[in-house]
Amino acid sequence: MAPIPLQRDTVQRPGTIRAGYAHGPRLASRTSLPGIPLAPSAARRFVRAALAEWTGLGVPAAVGFSDRLADDAVTVTNELVTNAVVHAGTTVDLVLRLEEEGDDEPTAALVLEVTDHHPARPVSGDEPEPGPEQGAAVAGELPDPAEYGRGLQLVATLADSWGITYRTGLKTVWARLPVDDWSAPPSPPDGEALRRGLRAAEILAPAARRTERDDAVWDSRGAPAFLAEASDLLAGQLDEDLVAAIAGQLLVPRLADWCAIWLETEGGGPAAEPRLARVWHSDETGTEPLRTALENTPPRLPAGAGSGPVPVPVPWPAPPADRPAEAGEAAEAPSPYPGGRDGAALAFRITAGGRALGTVLVGREGVAQVPEAVASLIEDFVRRLGLAVGAARAYTRQATISRILQRGLLPSKVAEIPGVTSALVYEPSDDGVVGGDFYDIFPCPGDRWCFVLGDVQGSGPEAAVVTGLARPWLRLLSREGFGVGEVLDRLNRLLLDDAMEAAEAAALMVAAAGGQQLHDGTQSRFLSLLYGEVVPLPDGGVRCTVASAGHPLPLLLRPDGSVRPAAEPQVLLGVVEDVAYESQTFGLAPGDTLLCVTDGVTERRSGPLMFDDGDGLARVLAGCAGLPAEATAERIRRAVHEFAEQPPDDDVALLVLHAE
């Protein structure tokens, strides 16, 4: 099988210097890769092909493209793209630039930039020191593996400098590799050869050129292999636009010269117009003209058309016939249209579960019809595309419902405590499932403010039921004037009573089913909870009273960096009757910080190790002395994420209270 075809854009940036020239733009090649496991291998091929192309163009600095430099560039690219796919999971933009450096003794360098679209960014002042152009780690300065991972340690070893640049919604990791044996040329190379080489080309796809396409391979082993690869790529995507993007890259140029994918608006009704989700052309100069020709004219398939191919006219007019201009008449230039010549087009309906989800339009240029074997293969592919789009929409619906439900279970706004700044971090482990963690900060009579951080067993609907009961009960009990320990006593009894009612209801269901055990997935309704109240003091600071019921203990950070637990461990709520919960009272002086977390923080795993092994959380917190609440929360959050390569598999919630 040929590799996944990905369009590459090679550009000259106006107003910049290209390596080896005193005047003119610098050389750069770029591509965008989906955030999937195959992205690193595609990136490696891209870098090798770009270097080979620049060498073939006669670019002066290319004489310094040694095998060692090429290997180093590929290794750095692999590490950076892998990190972006694993940790961000978004589309990855890759740029390879050739730059001139220095004046008296000029040199050249390869600059690799890998950008993801994850919005997270570090605490201000905690990132590497900025270099001349971007945030940089200077040459020879190795990153801490515990903080950045061993991938960036390898990058720092191979590059003479590297760094991280943060922009709104974007994170770019870059590395600079010096080019060997470079010297400035007396004159630029042949301009025509340079223009030919700098045009956008699909160097990653051997089948990108029409003459290399072999339709004979699709009638035997080629078709099953292609469909198996397509199924693997499409099945794991949970965004329908990303599904459409991958589908376009799989179809073009392997099976067609161009394609367009429309998706029906979900719940839009019969009058709703489908939206043009993806346009892809083997010649990128034809993409925008093709989009212009298609965006207002989606194909209309007959009502009785199934999933098979439907021949349709190509979506642009045929080129005008040559006609000699008459006397006094200027010769009329042919109307521009994609591809430059006529061809054949087929439309396929995207369906799943008997519902129409959209339309795929594919075309080939310079042929009267698409071969039957290819049309049959595209039909099989579109069936898989329909399943992937249907699954992505089902996940989107579930995630939307979960987000709406989660917003209803959590406070829309937390109260501000006089003399105390607070910071919250809440990250459900799965957007498609209601999380089991919850929080709250609210005022109470008697100049008191109460705070809560809880963790319900499990997740999903059962967790939502317990959260929906516990948070309102806590507010009610707190405002009735009960002390911290008494609030937990009464909440424990309420949860046990509710669990008893649920058990009685289950017994009635068993009896109604003829005594057969029903497996309805019902879980015991218990939770861990950290609950406390804060009272401002006249002389500054606050008095804090807390109680922990089966919850990770809160940690108190003093300005001198010392850390100690601020509560005693006690049993979970909703497990044992007749428990007398006790509370602990202490003062939060100005500069003191109280950290409360759920077990998604303390039990974060990296192999056999957990984040809080050997008081790991306390060590990280000790390094936050003197930081405000927001900075402390962000540093803890980053430490939790960087503890392991995999994303957290449990909800992460933490609350920071900092006395001013």
Side-chain angles (χ1 to χ4, degrees):
M1 289 297 297
I4 300 175
L6 295 168
Q7 285 185 315
R8 192 205 60 180
D9 184 19
T10 305
V11 298
Q12 293 179 338
R13 299 184 179 181
T16 57
I17 302 299
R18 187 180 41 176
Y21 300 96
H23 303 284
R26 65 184 172 189
L27 196 62
S29 297
R30 67 179 68 243
T31 189
S32 290
L33 307 168
I36 58 177
L38 291 181
S41 63
R44 294 194 299 269
R45 294 196 304 272
F46 170 82
V47 170
R48 287 201 183 277
L51 296 179
E53 184 183 45
W54 293 352
T55 302
L57 292 174
V59 175
V63 298
F65 290 171
S66 62
D67 290 341
R68 181 195 61 80
L69 176 63
D71 292 341
D72 289 351
V74 168
T75 301
V76 169
T77 300
N78 182 74
E79 295 298 333
L80 297 184
V81 173
T82 299
N83 283 346
V85 170
V86 171
H87 297 296
T90 67
T91 299
V92 179
D93 300 325
L94 171 60
V95 177
L96 178 66
R97 289 203 315 272
L98 186 58
E99 291 187 346
E100 179 183 3
E101 300 175 326
D103 296 321
D104 298 334
E105 296 182 0
T107 60
L110 282 178
V111 178
L112 287 156
E113 296 180 356
V114 174
T115 301
D116 64 61
H117 298 260
H118 197 285
R121 49 184 303 164
V123 181
S124 177
D126 208 33
E127 60 267 38
E129 291 295 324
E133 299 180 1
Q134 311 173 61
V138 297
E141 180 181 341
L142 297 181
D144 180 4
E147 185 176 357
Y148 293 103
R150 300 192 182 278
L152 284 185
Q153 188 178 32
L154 179 60
V155 171
T157 302
L158 297 177
D160 66 350
S161 63
W162 70 279
I164 306 173
T165 301
Y166 293 90
R167 305 178 184 89
T168 303
L170 297 174
K171 180 183 70 179
T172 299
V173 184
W174 59 269
R176 188 183 300 270
L177 305 174
V179 176
D180 303 325
D181 302 325
W182 182 86
S183 60
S187 60
D190 177 65
E192 180 60 28
L194 187 61
R195 282 192 295 274
R196 287 199 306 269
L198 291 178
R199 72 183 188 277
E202 297 131 315
I203 61 173
L204 299 184
R209 295 169 176 78
R210 186 179 300 104
T211 56
E212 296 180 6
R213 182 185 291 129
D214 184 4
D215 291 331
V217 304
W218 302 121
D219 59 3
S220 57
R221 67 181 185 280
F226 170 76
L227 292 174
E229 179 185 356
S231 298
D232 287 342
L233 288 172
L234 296 175
Q237 307 307 321
L238 301 177
D239 181 278
E240 63 180 64
D241 288 319
L242 184 55
V243 169
I246 294 175
Q249 295 182 51
L250 288 168
L251 288 171
V252 178
R254 286 175 171 176
L255 301 174
D257 292 311
W258 55 266
C259 77
I261 300 175
W262 286 264
L263 295 177
E264 301 286 346
T265 302
E266 189 170 15
E273 288 290 328
R275 65 182 180 89
L276 187 57
R278 186 66 175 175
V279 175
W280 198 260
H281 202 291
S282 59
D283 177 2
E284 73 289 338
T285 62
T287 299
E288 288 308 314
L290 179 60
R291 183 184 297 277
T292 301
L294 294 174
E295 58 188 358
N296 296 321
T297 57
R300 303 292 182 182
L301 301 185
S307 60
V310 177
V312 296
V314 292
W316 51 81
D322 294 335
R323 178 178 64 85
E326 298 179 0
E329 179 184 11
E332 181 180 355
S335 301
Y337 59 94
R341 55 179 179 166
D342 206 351
L346 296 175
F348 299 81
R349 178 165 288 156
I350 306 173
T351 61
R355 296 180 55 196
L357 302 180
T359 304
V360 174
L361 182 64
V362 299
R364 285 196 174 187
E365 298 169 353
V367 298
Q369 66 179 17
V370 178
E372 183 178 350
V374 173
S376 177
L377 178 59
I378 297 175
E379 180 181 351
D380 287 341
F381 172 81
V382 172
R383 290 195 185 99
R384 288 159 173 78
L385 174 60
L387 294 175
V389 172
R393 289 192 169 185
Y395 177 83
T396 300
R397 286 193 297 270
Q398 178 181 337
T400 301
I401 293 171
S402 294
R403 283 193 294 268
I404 294 172
L405 182 56
Q406 194 84 68
R407 285 199 298 267
L409 295 173
L410 297 176
S412 58
K413 183 180 180 181
V414 297
E416 295 183 2
I417 305 174
V420 174
T421 57
S422 62
L424 275 163
V425 171
Y426 178 75
E427 297 179 347
S429 60
D430 188 343
D431 286 339
V433 179
V434 180
D437 292 0
F438 66 95
Y439 59 85
D440 203 356
I441 302 177
F442 54 92
C444 288
D447 198 25
R448 298 179 298 129
W449 278 261
C450 297
F451 61 91
V452 178
L453 193 61
D455 184 2
V456 180
Q457 180 203 25
S459 59
E462 282 290 335
V465 169
V466 180
T467 302
L469 294 172
R471 198 169 69 85
W473 283 343
L474 275 167
R475 285 199 169 205
L476 178 62
L477 293 170
S478 301
R479 288 168 177 169
E480 287 296 316
F482 294 108
V484 171
E486 293 176 304
V487 167
L488 296 190
D489 291 342
R490 284 161 173 76
L491 181 59
N492 184 52
R493 288 198 292 269
L494 287 169
L495 288 171
L496 288 169
D497 291 345
D498 185 74
M500 182 63 69
E501 292 176 4
E504 291 174 354
L508 292 175
M509 293 173 64
V510 171
Q516 298 178 356
Q517 181 66 40
L518 297 179
H519 299 282
D520 62 350
T522 303
Q523 301 174 355
S524 300
R525 297 183 175 182
F526 60 84
L527 74 153
S528 70
L529 188 75
L530 181 66
Y531 170 69
E533 67 176 28
V534 172
V535 178
L537 300 176
D539 298 332
V542 297
R543 184 178 70 249
C544 186
T545 304
V546 298
S548 176
H551 203 80
L553 299 181
L555 298 178
L556 177 60
L557 170 66
R558 299 295 188 186
D560 62 1
S562 61
V563 178
R564 70 170 180 86
E568 297 294 332
Q570 299 177 86
V571 70
L572 289 163
L573 294 170
V575 179
V576 183
E577 295 186 50
D578 300 326
V579 177
Y581 287 94
E582 297 180 355
S583 61
Q584 287 76 42
T585 301
F586 54 92
L588 275 181
D592 289 347
T593 297
L594 185 68
L595 173 65
C596 312
V597 302
T598 60
D599 62 6
V601 173
T602 56
E603 298 179 7
R604 166 84 156 123
R605 285 194 171 273
S606 177
L609 302 177
M610 291 195 296
F611 183 74
D612 200 33
D613 285 350
D615 294 327
L617 179 59
R619 288 200 307 273
V620 176
L621 180 61
C624 299
L627 294 180
E630 288 285 353
T632 299
E634 175 62 15
R635 182 168 290 187
I636 299 296
R637 187 199 67 80
R638 287 179 58 203
V640 171
H641 278 270
E642 293 169 358
F643 183 69
E645 292 186 358
Q646 297 77 19
D649 56 4
D650 193 6
D651 303 335
V652 172
L654 60 93
L655 167 65
V656 177
L657 301 178
H658 180 75
E660 296 180 326

